[in-house]
C-alpha cells in the first residue's frame, strides 16, 4: 500500500497501473481509505505543483480500488478532479477486468451526469464496447457523440464517413432529435457537403442506412417541440436537405398547419410555403386553409401575414366558391396592429366580396370592420356596401398604473439565527435596498448585543467563504482584497467585509487605516457615490471591532432610502440615553436620507431635535430647517453617437459633512471623469439612489453614461435601475428624462420594458414632462444614439397598457424633428423606422381624439406615391384633422 501511495503522490501513473495489476481485489479495497484521505488533502490546496502532478494518478487509483459501480462513477466524474483526469484509455484499461454487467452500470451512471460534469465521451464509449450494453441516449452521451463525430479535422475524415461506420447510428440519431440544445453543436461543422450533419443524415436516408420515414417524422416532431434559435435553424436545414416529396408533404399536412400557426418565424415561413404549394394544387381543403389563415393572421410577423393574404387572394381568384369560408378568415387581419396589414386585408375583401353567397358572411364582414382604423373603417362602409356596427364612441380615458407606494422596512430580525438566514440569502441573491439595510442594521445590533452568539449563528454562512479559509482571492490577501483599488464593488462585498471583521479575518489596523483614509476608487463618474457608500460600511466595520454601535441611525424608513425625521430624532434620543458615540459617516448618511420635502413635518421634528441638547441634535435641527438644495445647473454635450449632461456644484453638500460625502456635491464633467472603471455591478445603482433619496438628479447624472450604453453600445441590464429612479424622490428633471429616453431605445427587450415601467411610474406620479422626453428622443434618434425601431417597440408597449395619451404627448414632440429632417433631406437615415413611429402616433391620436396640427407632417403626407411612410403620414394627418376617438 505504501508503494502505491508513494507512486500516486509522485504522479507516476504508469507505475500506479503496474502496481494495481498485481493486486487482488481485497488489496485494492484496503488501499482506498488512504486514497480518499489523499484526495481530501489535495482538495484543500488543489493548485500546487504537487497536487497537479498527483491528481491523474489518484484518479486512476481511486477508480480501480472501489468495488461499487455508484462509487466508481462518482469518483470518475468528481468535480475536484475534472481538470486533471487520467486519460480515458488508461481508465478503460484498469476497469477492463470487471464484469460486463458492472461496467454497464458504471457507464449508464456516468451518462446520467449533467453536461457540466464533462465526462469524456471516449471513456463512456469505451465502457459501452467492453460491456456490450445498449448505448445510452442521455443528454451527456449524445452531446459527446456529436462532438466526437464532428471533430473530423483531427482525423482526416468526414462526418458522413464516420456516421456510416458507427454501429449505434440508428439509436443515437433517434436520440439526437430528442436532445435539448443540440443545434449549436451540430452547427460547428460545415453547412454543406459531407461534413454537414444535415446533408450527411439526409444522404444516409437515401442509402437506406437510416429509416427515412422515422427520420422525417423525428425532424418534424423536433420542430414542433420548439427550442432555442440554433435548434430551429439546424433542424429546418435538415428538413430541407431531406427534400420531401409531394406525397410526404401531403402526409404531414397536420404538422405543417401546426408549424405555420405556432412555430418560430423561420420555421413557420417554411411550413407556410409548403401549405401554399398544396393549396394552389388543390390538395388543401378550404376549411384547412381558413383555419391556418386565422392562426397566421394573428401572428405579429408582418411578412408571414402578408404572404398569407397573398395566398388567400390567389385561391379566391381560382375558386370563387371558397369566398364564404376564406373572406371571414382574411377579415381577422382587420384587427392587426399594423395599419398596412389592415389595408391589405381590406383590399382583399373588397376585391372578392361580390363572390360571397350568404347574408351571414356579409354581416360577419360588416362586424369585423369595427376593428379597422377610422379611415379604413369609413372606406369599408362605402366599398363593401355595408355599415359597421354602430356604437357611440366613449370618451377617452387614460389608463395608468397606480403610483407605486414606498414599502416600509421591517425591524431587524430579533434572533441571530434568523439574521444569519437573511444574510445568507442576501449573499446568494444580491437582494435589494430594503434587504441589505435590514441585514446591515441587524448585524450591527447583534454584534453589540451578543457578538459570540452572532458569530456562532453565522458559522454555516461563512464556513465556505474564501476569506474564512485563509485562501487568496484573485491573488489578494483578505485585507488587500477589501482595500484594493476597486473598493467594495457590490453590496455583497460590504456584507462580506462585516462578516470577515466579525470572524477576525481583517486586521484592526486595516480597518483603522480605511476609516482614516478611505480606499481609493477610479477617477470615474461613480467615484462620489462609491466613496459615500463605502465610508459608512468601513466605519461600521471598525466600530464593530473597537466600539460597537447599538444600532444604525441611517437605516431608512422606506425601501427608497428615505428616512422619516421623527424616527431619526427618536434614534438620536436613544443614543443620548445610552451614552453611545455617534458614527460620523452613519450620521452623515442619515442627514442625506431624512425627509425634508414635507416642510411642516421637518420643522416640527427640528424643534424636538434641538431639545435633545446634543451636537447631533442641533445639527439635525439646522439641517431640517434649511431649504433642500435646488437641482444643479446642467450643461448638455452632443457627440456623434450620444448626448450627455454634466452638472455644476451643489454648495450645501460641500459644507459640514465628512469628506467622503462632500464629493457628492462636486461638479460632474463629461470629459474629466474616466469612462471605464471597476464599478461593474448593475445592482449597486439602486443603493446609490438610496444615498440621496430626495436628490435623484444628483445620482442620475453619475449613472447617465451607464444607461446610455444600453442604447449606444448594446449593453445588457443598463436600464434596469430606471423604475427605481422613477420611484425615487426629488425633482424629475433633465437627467431623469434623458435617462428614460436612453432606456426606451435600449438594445435588449428587458431594458426597454424597464424604461416603459419608469415612464408609466413618472406619468402616474404626475412627474412626466412629455415635451422634454419627446424632444430628448428626437435628439437621440437624430444623432444615432437611439434606433427608431427600438423606440417603436417601447412606444407600442406603453400604449398597449392604455397610456395612449401619454405616448401621444411624447411623440408629438419627437416627430417634428424627424419629419423636418426628412423634408430637408439633411438626415434621411431615421426615415427607415419613421413609418412605424408614425403608425404608433396615429393609433394614439385616433384613440385619444387628438386634434391639432403637427409641424412638418403635411409635406410628408403630400408626397407622391403610396409608400408606407406616406400612408402613415396621411393617416396621422387625417386623425389629427378630424379628432376621431377610436
Amino acid at each position: 500500500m505504501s508503494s502505491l501511495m508513494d507512486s500516486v503522490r509522485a504522479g507516476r501513473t504508469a507505475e500506479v497501473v503496474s502496481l494495481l495489476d498485481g493486486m487482488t481485489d481485497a488489496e485494492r479495497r484496503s488501499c482506498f481509505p488512504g486514497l480518499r484521505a489523499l484526495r481530501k488533502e489535495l482538495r484543500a490546496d488543489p493548485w500546487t505543483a504537487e497536487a497537479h502532478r498527483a491528481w491523474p494518478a489518484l484518479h486512476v487509483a481511486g477508480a480501480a480500488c472501489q468495488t461499487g459501480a455508484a462509487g466508481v462513477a462518482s469518483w470518475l466524474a468528481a468535480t475536484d478532479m475534472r481538470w486533471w483526469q487520467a486519460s480515458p484509455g488508461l481508465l478503460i484499461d484498469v476497469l477492463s477486468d470487471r464484469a460486463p454487467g458492472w461496467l454497464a452500470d458504471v457507464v449508464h451512471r456516468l451518462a446520467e451526469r449533467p453536461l457540466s460534469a464533462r465526462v469524456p465521451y471516449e471513456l463512456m464509449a469505451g465502457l459501452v464496447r467492453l460491456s456490450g450494453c445498449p448505448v445510452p441516449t442521455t443528454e451527456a452521451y449524445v452531446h459527446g457523440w456529436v462532438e466526437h463525430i464532428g471533430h473530423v479535422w483531427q482525423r482526416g475524415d468526414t462526418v458522413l464517413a464516420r456516421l456510416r461506420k458507427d454501429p449505434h447510428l440508428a439509436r443515437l440519431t433517434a436520440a439526437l432529435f430528442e436532445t435539448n440544445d443540440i443545434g449549436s453543436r451540430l452547427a460547428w461543422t460545415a453547412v454543406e457537403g459531407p461534413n454537414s450533419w444535415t446533408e450527411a443524415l439526409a444522404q444516409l436516408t437515401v442509402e437506406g442506412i437510416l429509416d427515412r420515414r422515422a427520420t422525417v417524422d423525428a425532424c418534424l416532431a423536433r420542430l414542433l417541440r420548439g427550442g432555442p434559435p440554433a435548434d430551429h435553424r439546424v433542424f429546418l436545414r435538415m428538413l430541407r436537405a431531406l427534400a420531401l416529396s409531394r406525397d410526404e408533404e401531403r402526409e404531414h399536412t397536420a404538422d405543417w398547419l401546426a408549424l405555420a400557426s405556432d412555430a418560430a418565424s423561420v420555421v413557420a415561413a417554411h411550413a407556410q410555403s409548403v401549405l401554399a404549394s398544396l393549396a394552389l394544387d388543390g390538395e388543401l381543403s378550404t376549411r384547412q386553409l381558413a383555419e391556418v389563415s386565422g392562426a397566421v393572421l394573428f401572428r405579429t410577423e408582418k411578412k408571414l401575414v402578408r404572404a398569407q393574404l397573398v395566398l388567400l387572394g390567389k385561391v379566391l381568384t381560382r375558386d370563387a366558391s371558397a369566398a364564404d369560408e376564406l373572406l371571414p378568415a382574411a377579415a381577422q387581419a382587420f384587427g392587426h396592429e399594423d395599419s398596412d396589414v389592415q389595408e391589405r386585408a381590406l383590399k382583399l375583401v373588397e376585391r372578392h366580396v361580390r363572390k360571397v353567397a350568404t347574408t351571414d358572411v356579409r354581416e360577419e364582414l360588416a362586424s369585423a370592420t369595427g376593428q379597422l382604423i377610422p379611415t379604413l373603417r369609413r372606406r369599408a362602409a362605402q366599398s363593401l356596401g355595408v355599415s359597421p356596427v354602430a356604437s357611440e364612441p366613449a370618451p377617452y380615458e387614460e389608463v395608468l398604473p397606480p403610483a407605486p407606494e414606498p414599502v416600509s422596512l421591517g425591524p431587524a430580525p430579533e434572533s441571530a439565527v434568523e439574521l444569519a438566514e437573511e444574510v445568507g440569502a442576501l449573499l446568494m441573491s444580491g437582494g435589494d435596498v430594503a434587504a441589505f439595510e435590514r441585514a446591515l442594521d441587524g448585524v450591527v445590533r447583534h454584534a453589540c448585543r451578543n457578538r459570540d452568539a452572532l458569530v456562532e449563528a453565522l458559522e454555516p454562512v461563512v464556513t465556505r467563504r474564501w476569506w474564512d479559509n485563509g485562501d487568496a482571492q484573485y491573488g489578494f490577501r483578505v485585507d488587500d482584497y477589501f482595500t484594493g483599488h476597486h473598493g467594495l464593488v457590490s453590496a455583497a462585498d460590504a456584507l462580506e467585509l462585516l462578516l470577515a471583521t466579525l470572524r477576525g479575518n481583517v486586521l484592526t489596523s486595516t480597518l483603522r487605516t480605511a476609516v482614516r483614509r478611505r480606499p481609493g476608487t477610479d477617477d470615474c463618474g461613480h467615484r462620489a457615490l462609491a466613496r459615500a457608500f463605502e465610508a459608512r460600511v468601513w466605519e461600521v466595520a471598525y466600530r464593530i471591532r473597537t466600539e460597537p454601535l447599538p444600532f444604525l441611525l441611517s437605516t431608512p424608513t422606506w425601501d427608497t432610502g428615505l428616512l422619516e425625521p421623527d424616527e431619526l430624532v427618536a434614534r438620536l434620543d436613544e443614543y443620548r440615553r445610552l451614552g453611545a458615540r455617534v458614527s460620523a459617516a452613519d450620521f452623515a448618511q442619515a442627514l442625506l436620507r431624512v425627509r425634508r420635502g414635507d416642510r411642516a413635518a421637518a420643522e416640527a421634528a427640528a424643534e424636538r431635535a434641538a431639545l435633545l441638547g446634543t451636537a447631533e441634535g442641533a445639527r439635525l435641527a439646522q439641517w431640517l430647517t434649511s431649504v433642500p438644495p435646488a437641482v444643479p445647473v446642467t450643461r448638455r454635450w452632443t457627440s456623434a453617437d450620444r448626448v450627455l449632461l454634466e452638472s455644476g456644484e451643489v454648495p450645501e453638500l460641500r459644507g459640514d459633512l465628512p469628506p467622503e460625502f462632500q464629493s457628492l456635491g462636486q461638479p460632474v464633467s463629461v470629459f474629466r471623469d474616466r469612462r471605464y472603471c471597476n464599478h461593474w455591478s448593475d445592482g449597486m445603482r439602486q443603493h446609490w439612489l438610496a444615498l440621496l433619496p430626495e436628490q435623484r438628479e444628483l445620482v442620475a447624472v453619475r449613472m447617465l453614461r451607464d444607461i446610455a450604453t444600453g442604447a449606444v453600445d448594446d449593453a445588457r441590464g443598463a436600464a434596469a435601475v430606471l423604475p427605481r429612479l422613477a420611484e425615487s424622490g426629488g425633482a424629475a428633471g433633465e437627467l431623469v428624462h434623458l435617462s428614460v429616453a436612453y432606456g426606451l431605445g435600449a438594445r435588449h427587450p428587458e431594458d426597454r420594458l424597464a424604461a416603459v415601467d419608469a415612464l408609466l411610474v413618472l406619468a402616474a406620479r404626475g412627474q412626466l414632462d412629455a415635451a422634454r422626453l419627446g424632444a430628448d428622443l428626437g435628439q437621440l434618434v437624430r444623432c444615432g444614439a437611439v434606433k427608431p425601431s427600438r423606440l417603436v417597440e417601447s412606444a407600442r408597449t406603453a400604449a398597449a397598457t392604455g397610456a395612449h395619451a401619454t405616448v401621444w404627448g411624447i411623440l408629438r414632440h419627437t416627430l417634428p424633428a424627424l419629419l423636418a429632417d426628412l423634408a430637408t433631406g439633411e438626415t434621411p437615415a431615421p426615415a427607415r423606422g419613421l413609418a412605424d413611429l408614425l403608425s404608433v402616433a396615429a393609433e394614439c391620436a385616433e384613440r385619444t381624439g387628438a386634434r391639432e396640427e403637427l409641424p412638418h407632417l403635411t409635406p410628408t403626407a403630400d408626397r407622391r406615391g403610396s409608400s408606407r411612410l406616406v400612408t402613415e403620414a396621411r393617416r396621422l394627418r387625417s386623425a389629427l384633422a378630424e379628432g376621431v376617438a377610436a
Side-chain angles (χ1 to χ4, degrees):
M1 175 180 175
S2 59
S3 299
L4 178 65
M5 294 301 298
D6 291 341
S7 298
V8 170
R9 284 185 177 276
R12 297 191 291 270
T13 308
E15 187 176 313
V16 168
V17 174
S18 177
L19 290 171
L20 290 170
D21 286 342
M23 289 183 180
T24 64
D25 288 347
E27 289 173 334
R28 290 187 181 184
R29 286 194 296 270
S30 67
C31 293
F32 185 69
L35 296 172
R36 185 166 53 195
L38 176 59
R39 177 185 176 185
K40 184 176 181 181
E41 177 186 331
L42 295 179
R43 192 160 47 194
D45 197 4
W47 301 100
T48 63
E50 293 77 9
H52 193 182
R53 187 168 53 248
W55 279 119
L58 178 62
H59 197 213
V60 171
C65 292
Q66 297 184 74
T67 56
V72 171
S74 296
W75 185 276
L76 290 173
T79 302
D80 52 356
M81 287 185 277
R82 181 179 303 164
W83 301 106
W84 301 282
Q85 294 183 3
S87 69
L90 202 59
L91 293 169
I92 292 169
D93 181 50
V94 299
L95 296 175
S96 60
D97 59 344
R98 306 295 180 95
W102 186 91
L103 291 173
D105 191 6
V106 170
V107 71
H108 279 85
R109 289 178 183 274
L110 289 174
E112 291 291 342
R113 294 275 172 166
L115 278 174
S116 57
R118 300 182 184 179
V119 179
Y121 167 78
E122 291 78 6
L123 173 60
M124 293 187 288
L127 294 177
V128 168
R129 286 194 300 271
L130 282 177
S131 66
C133 67
V135 64
T137 57
T138 62
E139 186 176 37
Y141 197 93
V142 174
H143 274 263
W145 175 66
V146 169
E147 186 174 347
H148 173 74
I149 294 293
H151 283 176
V152 293
W153 58 272
Q154 295 177 337
R155 304 172 178 87
D157 211 340
T158 66
V159 168
L160 178 59
R162 293 184 67 78
L163 288 174
R164 280 199 187 104
K165 295 182 290 187
D166 195 302
H168 307 290
L169 175 64
R171 182 175 170 85
L172 288 173
T173 300
L176 185 71
F177 293 101
E178 300 290 335
T179 304
N180 294 324
D181 298 332
I182 197 68
S184 57
R185 289 186 181 269
L186 294 174
W188 283 352
T189 55
V191 176
E192 298 177 353
N195 276 337
S196 164
W197 273 89
T198 57
E199 293 196 12
L201 292 178
Q203 179 61 30
L204 292 173
T205 64
V206 173
E207 297 173 6
I209 298 175
L210 287 176
D211 183 87
R212 179 173 176 83
R213 183 185 183 90
T215 304
V216 171
D217 289 346
C219 191
L220 283 168
R222 179 53 188 265
L223 290 173
L224 284 166
R225 193 178 75 184
D231 286 4
H232 297 153
R233 291 191 296 269
V234 166
F235 288 106
L236 178 59
R237 193 185 308 141
M238 191 175 296
L239 184 64
R240 286 172 172 158
L242 289 168
L244 272 61
S245 67
R246 177 46 56 93
D247 289 338
E248 289 173 322
E249 289 178 343
R250 188 187 313 109
E251 183 182 349
H252 291 93
T253 299
D255 294 330
W256 305 124
L257 294 171
L259 288 172
S261 302
D262 299 318
S265 181
V266 63
V267 179
H270 177 75
Q272 186 184 45
S273 67
V274 175
L275 290 172
S277 178
L278 292 172
L280 294 175
D281 288 346
E283 297 182 275
L284 191 69
S285 70
T286 303
R287 181 173 295 278
Q288 287 176 319
L289 180 56
E291 288 177 356
V292 73
S293 295
V296 172
L297 295 177
F298 187 73
R299 297 182 67 124
T300 57
E301 300 96 330
K302 288 180 283 189
K303 186 176 180 180
L304 293 177
V305 173
R306 291 167 183 167
Q308 195 67 24
L309 290 173
V310 170
L311 173 61
L312 289 175
K314 290 179 179 180
V315 174
L316 286 167
T317 301
R318 295 186 178 192
D319 183 8
S321 64
D324 281 5
E325 285 192 82
L326 296 186
L327 283 185
Q332 293 186 51
F334 288 175
H336 199 276
E337 64 180 15
D338 189 343
S339 62
D340 180 59
V341 169
Q342 292 187 19
E343 186 172 12
R344 288 171 183 262
L346 179 58
K347 285 180 179 178
L348 176 65
V349 173
E350 288 172 338
R351 192 180 307 123
H352 299 282
V353 69
R354 291 186 180 87
K355 301 174 183 178
V356 174
T358 64
T359 304
D360 290 345
V361 173
R362 288 182 177 274
E363 291 177 353
E364 186 177 350
L365 294 175
S367 176
T369 59
Q371 303 176 71
L372 294 166
I373 62 175
T375 53
L376 294 179
R377 199 182 311 156
R378 289 190 296 273
R379 169 179 152 184
Q382 297 172 0
S383 62
L384 300 183
V386 295
S387 299
V389 177
S391 61
E392 281 295 324
Y396 176 76
E397 184 176 350
E398 183 84 340
V399 178
L400 292 171
E405 296 292 335
V407 178
S408 174
L409 265 69
E414 285 296 326
S415 74
V417 173
E418 185 182 355
L419 173 64
E421 292 175 354
E422 289 194 13
V423 170
L426 192 57
L427 291 176
M428 292 294 293
S429 66
D432 55 12
V433 171
F436 173 75
E437 293 292 344
R438 265 174 52 90
L440 189 65
D441 187 47
V443 169
V444 170
R445 289 175 181 270
H446 285 276
C448 179
R449 189 183 306 165
N450 191 335
R451 178 187 177 126
D452 292 340
L454 176 59
V455 171
E456 181 180 354
L458 289 169
E459 181 73 29
V461 177
V462 304
T463 187
R464 288 190 149 187
R465 313 310 293 185
W466 66 269
W467 44 261
D468 202 50
N469 297 324
D471 296 336
Q473 178 79 336
Y474 309 120
F476 291 100
R477 294 185 301 108
V478 177
D479 291 75
D480 294 337
Y481 175 79
F482 287 117
T483 58
H485 70 281
H486 59 282
L488 304 177
V489 173
S490 65
D493 272 353
L495 277 180
E496 297 247 21
L497 171 62
L498 299 186
L499 299 184
T501 300
L502 284 167
R503 296 280 289 185
N505 295 100
V506 182
L507 298 174
T508 304
S509 59
T510 299
L511 298 172
R512 183 186 305 111
T513 302
V515 169
R516 292 177 179 175
R517 187 183 68 251
R518 307 296 182 199
T521 59
D522 286 341
D523 189 21
C524 63
H526 316 110
R527 178 187 65 254
L529 299 169
R531 290 187 67 194
F533 177 84
E534 292 174 12
R536 182 174 62 135
V537 176
W538 279 106
E539 194 154 299
V540 165
Y542 179 62
R543 291 290 296 271
I544 284 176
R545 179 65 57 79
T546 59
E547 186 183 355
L549 297 166
F551 52 83
L552 290 179
L553 294 172
S554 57
T555 302
T557 308
W558 308 102
D559 63 338
T560 59
L562 203 60
L563 173 59
E564 293 297 338
D566 286 342
E567 193 165 343
L568 180 54
V569 172
R571 292 175 186 174
L572 284 175
D573 189 27
E574 182 65 12
Y575 260 65
R576 180 187 60 79
R577 189 186 67 81
L578 295 173
R581 184 170 62 89
V582 171
S583 162
D586 183 36
F587 183 57
Q589 177 63 90
L591 291 179
L592 295 178
R593 282 179 169 170
V594 70
R595 184 197 294 272
R596 290 193 287 175
D598 185 343
R599 299 307 303 159
E603 290 173 2
E607 293 179 3
R608 291 191 294 274
L611 296 175
L612 294 177
T614 62
E616 290 78 18
R619 178 72 178 97
L620 175 59
Q622 182 270 330
W623 181 268
L624 289 173
T625 53
S626 63
V627 179
V631 176
V633 176
T634 59
R635 183 175 181 180
R636 183 171 293 228
W637 291 95
T638 304
S639 65
D641 63 349
R642 71 190 74 207
V643 177
L644 294 174
L645 292 170
E646 56 184 18
S647 66
E649 187 177 61
V650 183
E652 185 191 43
L653 298 181
R654 304 284 287 156
D656 189 17
L657 287 173
E660 295 76 19
F661 292 87
Q662 290 181 15
S663 57
L664 292 170
Q666 289 178 346
V668 176
S669 170
V670 170
F671 303 104
R672 186 181 65 245
D673 293 332
R674 197 176 292 174
R675 182 171 181 178
Y676 300 104
C677 64
N678 290 307
H679 302 112
W680 48 263
S681 175
D682 293 338
M684 276 302 295
R685 296 188 187 117
Q686 59 178 324
H687 296 282
W688 291 340
L689 277 170
L691 292 173
L692 294 162
E694 285 192 317
Q695 293 289 324
R696 54 182 161 187
E697 287 279 295
L698 292 181
V699 182
V701 72
R702 292 174 167 86
M703 299 192 301
L704 180 61
R705 194 189 292 271
D706 301 332
I707 297 171
T709 61
V712 180
D713 303 322
D714 295 346
R716 186 185 294 273
V721 73
L722 289 177
R724 300 289 298 184
L725 181 64
E727 293 171 17
S728 193
E734 194 173 7
L735 285 152
V736 170
H737 283 79
L738 185 56
S739 298
V740 173
Y742 272 117
L744 293 173
R747 162 67 176 82
H748 298 284
E750 61 270 28
D751 285 326
R752 294 198 298 270
L753 187 59
V756 170
D757 287 343
L759 167 67
L760 297 176
V761 168
L762 289 173
R765 298 179 70 182
Q767 298 172 338
L768 178 67
D769 187 337
R772 169 176 279 168
L773 180 57
D776 284 342
L777 286 168
Q779 186 178 13
L780 292 178
V781 171
R782 292 184 69 216
C783 75
V786 165
K787 292 181 172 59
S789 58
R790 298 175 184 174
L791 175 57
V792 167
E793 292 301 318
S794 296
R796 278 186 178 148
T797 301
T801 66
H804 293 92
T806 299
V807 174
W808 167 245
I810 296 168
L811 294 182
R812 66 188 291 268
H813 295 282
T814 302
L815 289 170
L818 307 183
L819 293 172
D821 287 340
L822 188 65
T824 59
E826 292 181 3
T827 313
R832 184 174 182 181
L834 188 53
D836 289 323
L837 203 59
L838 286 168
S839 176
V840 176
E843 180 184 357
C844 292
E846 289 164 353
R847 288 183 177 272
T848 58
R851 189 179 180 88
E852 59 185 283
E853 183 175 346
L854 192 69
H856 308 295
L857 177 62
T858 297
T860 304
D862 286 341
R863 283 185 167 193
R864 293 182 179 181
S866 57
S867 67
R868 185 151 184 270
L869 176 66
V870 173
T871 300
E872 294 298 343
R874 291 169 182 169
R875 174 189 172 191
L876 177 57
R877 182 175 63 176
S878 174
L880 294 176
E882 299 178 13
V884 178

